[in-house]
Amino acid sequence: MSGRILIVDDDPNIREVIGYAVESSGFTAMYAEDGLAALDATRGGNPDLIVLDIGLPEIDGLEVCRAVRKNSDVPILFLTARDDEIDRIIGLEIGGDDYVTKPFSPRELVARIKAILKRVAPPLKEIEQTFAHGDLEIDAHRHLCLVAAQEVALTASEFALLKVLMAKPDNVMTRQQLTVSMYGNNIHVSDRTIDSHIRNIRNKLTKAGCPNSIITVHGVGLRMGTC
């Protein structure tokens, strides 16, 4: 796997550690030490994924994410302090795809980067990747989500999660099953992460005219609504 990874952190040691880890895995590392530099690098460097520290000086990572999301759906993996749970949740709500808490394992960080980029990668042509359910339609080849022919912008993780549910719309899937479908078996992801993505999908589809998109079956899991 290859690609350009933009590493945004004001700590040069952390930038160096992440840079070494991603380049050892075949990626090309790009660097930015603050929010303004990150925005410039996003516009000019066309990264495939951004590793973004939330605790940046002057313009923090959340503001950087909001600015990026106005013009780009590039995947964003947040770095957060261990105690800043509210920042982690906000980060996912405003368009982040995942997060890793500090201190972190470089191996885990690279695993999450690969998992995100795998979800973004165009699917094989011979596999059915277009699904329709009620007024809702998704086309994985074009990374396109439509409600009654109106396009809905989803992040890579939101799109991947919706695609898993749309593939078997009448089946109830547990959060564990959804996590494994998106991340594989070797990465720990909290239920809060899945719940944040589900909440974001519901809000976006509701605004597009589909208020009953994903149904919670209490004590079991999630399935598609009537849409």
Side-chain angles (χ1 to χ4, degrees):
M1 183 174 287
S2 62
R4 297 174 300 279
I5 310 299
L6 175 59
I7 302 161
V8 187
D9 199 295
D10 60 327
D11 186 328
N13 294 323
I14 291 180
R15 293 198 302 271
E16 181 179 357
V17 167
I18 298 175
Y20 178 81
V22 299
E23 290 187 340
S24 296
S25 298
F27 298 101
T28 298
M30 305 162 55
Y31 302 94
E33 63 183 16
D34 57 44
L36 290 177
L39 294 176
D40 288 341
T42 301
R43 288 189 291 264
N46 195 27
D48 296 295
L49 182 142
I50 303 173
V51 178
L52 180 59
D53 183 31
I54 288 183
L56 296 172
E58 298 187 19
I59 302 178
D60 68 21
L62 297 177
E63 290 303 318
V64 172
C65 179
R66 290 187 178 98
V68 169
R69 281 290 172 259
K70 291 179 181 179
N71 303 297
S72 173
D73 60 357
V74 59
I76 295 176
L77 172 63
F78 280 112
L79 297 179
T80 74
R82 183 173 297 277
D83 295 332
D84 292 341
E85 181 179 13
I86 185 63
D87 283 347
R88 297 199 294 270
I89 299 304
I90 292 174
L92 295 175
E93 289 178 346
I94 64 176
D97 290 274
D98 201 357
Y99 64 84
V100 171
T101 57
K102 296 180 178 179
F104 58 86
S105 160
R107 180 178 297 181
E108 179 188 359
L109 180 66
V110 170
R112 287 178 181 265
I113 289 173
K114 289 180 177 179
I116 293 172
L117 292 178
K118 184 177 180 180
R119 297 198 295 268
V120 177
L124 297 175
K125 292 296 183 181
E126 63 268 20
I127 300 175
E128 179 60 42
Q129 293 292 338
T130 301
F131 305 98
H133 184 65
D135 289 334
L136 179 61
E137 180 180 356
I138 62 172
D139 184 340
H141 292 298
R142 296 185 292 164
H143 192 79
L144 187 64
C145 174
L146 301 172
V147 173
Q150 175 184 347
E151 185 173 353
V152 180
L154 300 177
T155 68
S157 294
E158 292 163 3
F159 191 92
L161 184 53
L162 181 60
K163 186 177 74 171
V164 172
L165 290 167
M166 287 278 287
K168 297 180 179 179
D170 296 324
N171 288 15
V172 178
M173 300 195 68
T174 67
R175 284 168 173 77
Q176 179 63 25
Q177 288 174 319
L178 292 172
T179 299
V180 171
S181 296
M182 293 177 64
Y183 293 91
N185 287 299
N186 299 321
I187 300 178
H188 172 73
V189 179
S190 73
D191 286 348
R192 285 181 176 271
T193 299
I194 297 297
D195 289 343
S196 293
H197 289 317
I198 291 293
R199 183 166 56 250
N200 292 344
I201 295 169
R202 282 171 170 159
N203 289 340
K204 291 178 179 181
L205 295 183
T206 296
K207 290 179 181 178
C210 179
N212 56 345
S213 55
I214 300 175
I215 303 299
T216 298
V217 181
H218 294 288
V220 183
L222 301 156
R223 65 170 174 81
M224 295 301 300
T226 57
C227 299

